[in-house]
Amino acid sequence: MTSNFIDYVKINVRSGHGGSGSSHFRREKHVPKGGPDGGDGGRGGHVVLRGTTDHWTLLHLKYQKHIFAKDGNGGEGQRRSGSQGADAIIEVPLGTIVRDPETGDFIAEVTKQDEEVILLRGGRGGLGNYNFKSSTNQSPHYAQPGEIGEDKWVILELKVLADVGLVGFPNAGKSTLLSVMSAAKPEIADYPFTTIVPNLGVVSYRGFRSFVMADIPGIIEGAAEGKGLGTRFLRHIERNSILLFLVPASAEDINEEYHVLLNELKQYNPALLDKERILAISKMDLVETEEHRERILKQVPEGLPHIFFSSIMEQGLVELKDLLWKTLQNAQPPVQEIETESDEV
């Protein structure tokens, strides 16, 4: 089954060529010695990225590999300038990054609604011969050609923008938590890697406030080295303000599972460790005795904010929202990006 979540595309973009200047002379009946009056050529169209919330993936660009702006028109007589070429506007979801496909170098990013970034500038229009007349050159018979536009392949890479990122092993209960805390309907099943793409949900909070939660596909030990789903979706965690680590109450060692997850993030990008972190023990409906609960509590890393909850029983969810909201108020901005390789979907 082909997923509609596309977070990586490679496209060819080209800005418009500038229009040529005009080499024209006045030819009016009562002006026997009309001088040069050639107008300037119009600028070629720019290639512009524009941020929009109407898209949340790059699916609309997957099969549109070539995007060209229009060329500028040439100048005309009577000093009439040619019209500018139409810009090529590429709408992208917020959090889109542009990279050079050969070097992987960062080129630009779009993170705000209606934010516009000129990716390629259109060629300048050529000057008409009117601009070259002088006391020593009263009849210039030449004009400038238009400037050639730019042509480039670029990689567009999406990093999901969310306030809270869910981090955990497959079947830790991330999708279930997202489904009960928001209107999102991620696929939920009892087999590993049910979630194969990030899912977003808006979590309502008291006072008509809200925050965005992202369910990141499950991480396994060795993900940073390419195991499981590899690093393909780890880059989305870079855009989350805080990380909510989910470890089920059925885990043999809560502390060990937490540190395995933390180590995978560290190998991918050490700066991720600077983010605010919360440990949430899920599936507490499986805990039947107080002794079991106490044993789990002893396995929680010292000093780490933690909370117990059950999505099925809807227990501890209000307290979880409170803790997340409080932590968000003190959260640091997204970490600096790192250079990563991505495979085209």
Side-chain angles (χ1 to χ4, degrees), residues 167 219 234 237-238 240-243 245 258-278 304-305 332-336 338:
V167 182
I219 300 173
L234 284 178
I237 298 176
E238 293 178 348
N240 303 151
S241 297
I242 64 176
L243 301 180
F245 286 79
Y258 166 73
H259 280 94
V260 169
L261 293 169
L262 199 62
N263 184 58
E264 293 303 319
L265 299 188
K266 179 181 178 180
Q267 290 186 52
Y268 175 73
N269 185 354
L272 289 173
L273 301 189
D274 296 332
K275 285 181 174 289
E276 297 284 348
R277 303 191 297 270
I278 297 174
L304 178 66
Q332 299 295 319
V335 302
Q336 183 178 4
I338 64 169

XYZ file of all heavy atoms in Angstrom, residues 167 219 234 237-238 240-243 245 258-278 304-305 332-336 338:
324
model
N 7.879 9.460 21.626
C 9.033 8.608 21.339
C 8.861 7.302 22.093
O 8.595 7.299 23.299
C 10.350 9.284 21.768
C 11.543 8.398 21.427
C 10.495 10.649 21.101
N 10.701 3.461 17.356
C 12.155 3.331 17.280
C 12.549 1.976 17.864
O 11.947 1.517 18.842
C 12.834 4.459 18.082
C 12.420 5.829 17.519
C 14.345 4.316 18.059
C 12.910 6.989 18.370
N 13.369 9.989 12.220
C 13.970 10.615 13.392
C 14.123 12.116 13.210
O 14.124 12.864 14.179
C 15.340 9.991 13.692
C 15.332 8.604 14.345
C 16.754 8.094 14.527
C 14.625 8.655 15.688
N 11.667 14.516 14.883
C 11.782 14.797 16.312
C 12.519 16.114 16.545
O 12.315 16.782 17.559
C 12.491 13.623 17.025
C 11.648 12.348 16.873
C 12.727 13.919 18.493
C 12.299 11.109 17.454
N 13.382 16.505 15.597
C 14.142 17.743 15.750
C 13.226 18.958 15.838
O 13.598 19.976 16.404
C 15.109 17.916 14.574
C 16.221 16.885 14.531
C 17.127 17.066 13.327
O 16.765 17.831 12.408
O 18.191 16.448 13.307
N 10.211 19.026 17.282
C 9.319 18.999 18.443
C 9.902 19.818 19.583
O 11.106 19.805 19.816
C 9.091 17.562 18.909
C 8.535 16.668 17.801
O 8.779 15.468 17.792
N 7.810 17.244 16.851
N 9.028 20.509 20.296
C 9.493 21.330 21.412
C 9.893 20.476 22.611
O 10.907 20.737 23.252
C 8.404 22.330 21.817
O 8.135 23.228 20.756
N 9.097 19.468 22.935
C 9.437 18.558 24.024
C 9.223 17.127 23.557
O 8.466 16.868 22.629
C 8.601 18.830 25.304
C 7.120 18.560 25.054
C 8.819 20.238 25.806
C 6.277 18.707 26.294
N 9.891 16.193 24.219
C 9.798 14.777 23.869
C 9.119 14.015 24.999
O 9.532 14.097 26.157
C 11.194 14.202 23.614
C 12.008 14.871 22.500
C 13.370 14.196 22.366
C 11.260 14.836 21.174
N 8.542 10.434 26.204
C 8.977 9.048 26.057
C 7.896 8.132 26.634
O 7.507 8.285 27.795
C 10.295 8.817 26.797
C 11.487 9.420 26.113
C 11.748 10.782 26.219
C 12.360 8.638 25.370
C 12.848 11.348 25.594
C 13.466 9.191 24.747
C 13.704 10.554 24.849
N 14.120 3.172 28.453
C 14.238 4.626 28.304
C 15.625 5.010 27.786
O 15.759 5.825 26.864
C 13.950 5.317 29.636
C 14.359 6.769 29.670
C 13.635 7.731 28.969
C 15.480 7.170 30.385
C 14.019 9.058 28.992
C 15.873 8.491 30.416
C 15.138 9.441 29.720
O 15.537 10.761 29.745
N 16.672 4.397 28.345
C 18.032 4.749 27.952
C 18.392 4.220 26.560
O 19.233 4.805 25.869
C 19.034 4.269 29.006
C 19.119 5.179 30.189
N 18.395 4.986 31.335
C 19.836 6.325 30.385
C 18.658 5.948 32.204
N 19.533 6.780 31.652
N 17.783 3.115 26.143
C 17.999 2.644 24.772
C 17.429 3.668 23.790
O 18.071 4.034 22.791
C 17.348 1.263 24.547
C 17.336 0.917 23.058
C 18.106 0.193 25.317
N 16.214 4.157 24.077
C 15.613 5.183 23.229
C 16.454 6.452 23.220
O 16.702 7.061 22.165
C 14.199 5.505 23.721
C 13.146 4.397 23.579
C 11.889 4.757 24.354
C 12.820 4.149 22.116
N 16.904 6.846 24.394
C 17.707 8.063 24.515
C 19.018 7.929 23.746
O 19.481 8.876 23.100
C 17.986 8.337 25.995
C 18.399 9.768 26.371
C 17.285 10.742 26.019
C 18.726 9.847 27.853
N 19.597 6.738 23.792
C 20.865 6.515 23.092
C 20.694 6.605 21.576
O 21.585 7.106 20.873
C 21.437 5.152 23.483
C 22.800 4.912 22.851
O 23.743 5.670 23.054
N 22.918 3.843 22.076
N 19.563 6.122 21.058
C 19.317 6.213 19.621
C 19.208 7.674 19.177
O 19.718 8.055 18.126
C 18.048 5.454 19.233
C 18.152 3.945 19.401
C 19.305 3.351 18.616
O 19.527 3.780 17.464
O 19.995 2.468 19.154
N 18.549 8.486 20.000
C 18.450 9.911 19.674
C 19.819 10.578 19.744
O 20.149 11.430 18.907
C 17.485 10.614 20.642
C 16.036 10.126 20.654
C 15.184 11.054 21.503
C 15.467 10.034 19.252
N 20.612 10.181 20.717
C 21.949 10.755 20.872
C 22.823 10.432 19.674
O 23.566 11.293 19.181
C 22.594 10.233 22.154
C 24.007 10.767 22.392
C 24.579 10.188 23.672
C 26.013 10.689 23.892
N 26.598 10.126 25.144
N 22.740 9.196 19.180
C 23.552 8.822 18.022
C 23.111 9.562 16.773
O 23.930 9.891 15.917
C 23.455 7.309 17.786
C 24.150 6.464 18.850
C 24.152 5.000 18.481
O 24.567 4.621 17.388
N 23.672 4.153 19.387
N 21.817 9.838 16.686
C 21.315 10.558 15.518
C 21.694 12.032 15.572
O 22.187 12.603 14.607
C 19.801 10.406 15.432
C 19.178 11.213 14.315
C 19.330 10.828 12.989
C 18.451 12.370 14.585
C 18.768 11.569 11.961
C 17.887 13.121 13.564
C 18.060 12.708 12.258
O 17.513 13.455 11.242
N 21.464 12.664 16.694
C 21.783 14.077 16.883
C 21.917 14.361 18.370
O 20.923 14.429 19.087
C 20.681 14.960 16.283
C 21.026 16.436 16.349
O 22.030 16.823 16.940
N 20.203 17.267 15.749
N 23.139 14.539 18.870
C 23.354 14.774 20.307
C 22.594 15.979 20.846
O 22.264 16.028 22.034
C 24.871 14.993 20.391
C 25.432 14.278 19.205
C 24.408 14.448 18.125
N 22.284 16.948 19.988
C 21.571 18.141 20.448
C 20.156 17.820 20.906
O 19.539 18.610 21.634
C 21.542 19.192 19.333
N 19.625 16.665 20.499
C 18.280 16.286 20.935
C 18.210 16.078 22.443
O 17.140 16.179 23.036
C 17.835 15.014 20.214
C 17.502 15.145 18.716
C 17.259 13.780 18.111
C 16.296 16.039 18.512
N 19.345 15.794 23.063
C 19.361 15.559 24.504
C 19.123 16.851 25.286
O 18.886 16.817 26.500
C 20.694 14.932 24.926
C 21.042 13.587 24.265
C 22.274 12.978 24.924
C 19.869 12.621 24.330
N 19.214 17.999 24.612
C 18.974 19.272 25.290
C 17.492 19.593 25.385
O 17.106 20.557 26.052
C 19.692 20.407 24.545
C 21.207 20.250 24.563
O 21.715 19.651 25.532
O 21.871 20.720 23.623
N 16.667 18.814 24.738
C 15.227 19.062 24.785
C 14.637 18.641 26.133
O 15.175 17.772 26.824
C 14.518 18.284 23.669
C 14.696 18.869 22.270
C 13.932 18.021 21.261
C 13.974 18.663 19.889
N 13.166 19.877 19.807
N 13.518 19.267 26.481
C 12.777 18.854 27.667
C 12.234 17.444 27.440
O 11.706 17.135 26.375
C 11.621 19.825 27.939
C 12.050 21.239 28.261
C 12.574 21.377 29.673
O 12.392 20.417 30.461
O 13.167 22.419 29.987
N 12.359 16.587 28.457
C 11.915 15.206 28.326
C 10.983 14.824 29.479
O 11.185 15.238 30.625
C 13.115 14.251 28.317
C 14.128 14.542 27.235
C 15.148 13.417 27.094
N 15.963 13.202 28.263
C 17.125 13.810 28.499
N 17.586 14.691 27.630
N 17.832 13.548 29.575
N 9.981 14.040 29.129
C 9.050 13.506 30.126
C 8.916 12.014 29.870
O 8.824 11.578 28.719
C 7.666 14.181 30.028
C 7.768 15.680 30.329
C 6.667 13.516 30.973
C 6.459 16.424 30.110
N 13.896 12.567 36.597
C 13.194 12.700 35.325
C 11.694 12.863 35.586
O 11.086 12.026 36.256
C 13.427 11.464 34.452
C 12.718 11.435 33.094
C 13.262 12.529 32.184
C 12.876 10.059 32.432
N 11.064 13.934 35.078
C 9.609 14.076 35.244
C 8.893 12.863 34.646
O 9.204 12.435 33.540
C 9.288 15.356 34.449
C 10.581 16.109 34.390
C 11.655 15.065 34.345
N 12.605 24.752 25.174
C 13.555 25.435 24.316
C 13.078 25.364 22.872
O 12.291 24.500 22.500
C 14.943 24.782 24.433
C 15.529 24.846 25.835
C 15.805 26.273 26.266
O 16.280 27.088 25.484
N 15.498 26.575 27.520
N 13.552 26.282 22.003
C 13.196 26.207 20.580
C 13.764 24.950 19.953
O 14.652 24.300 20.527
C 13.834 27.468 19.991
C 14.931 27.833 20.930
C 14.453 27.401 22.288
N 13.295 24.569 18.742
C 13.796 23.370 18.064
C 15.308 23.388 17.938
O 15.927 24.435 17.789
C 13.121 23.437 16.689
C 11.881 24.226 16.923
C 12.246 25.241 17.966
N 15.914 22.210 17.987
C 17.364 22.116 17.933
C 17.870 22.411 16.544
O 17.139 22.387 15.561
C 17.843 20.706 18.352
C 17.368 20.365 19.725
C 17.402 19.666 17.346
N 19.164 22.703 16.453
C 19.775 22.974 15.158
C 19.782 21.709 14.319
O 19.987 20.609 14.810
C 21.204 23.482 15.357
C 21.910 23.873 14.067
C 23.298 24.404 14.346
O 23.744 24.419 15.475
N 23.968 24.846 13.295
N 20.889 18.886 11.608
C 22.143 18.234 11.261
C 22.020 17.703 9.851
O 20.930 17.581 9.307
C 22.468 17.076 12.237
C 21.412 15.970 12.118
C 22.602 17.548 13.640
C 21.780 14.710 12.838
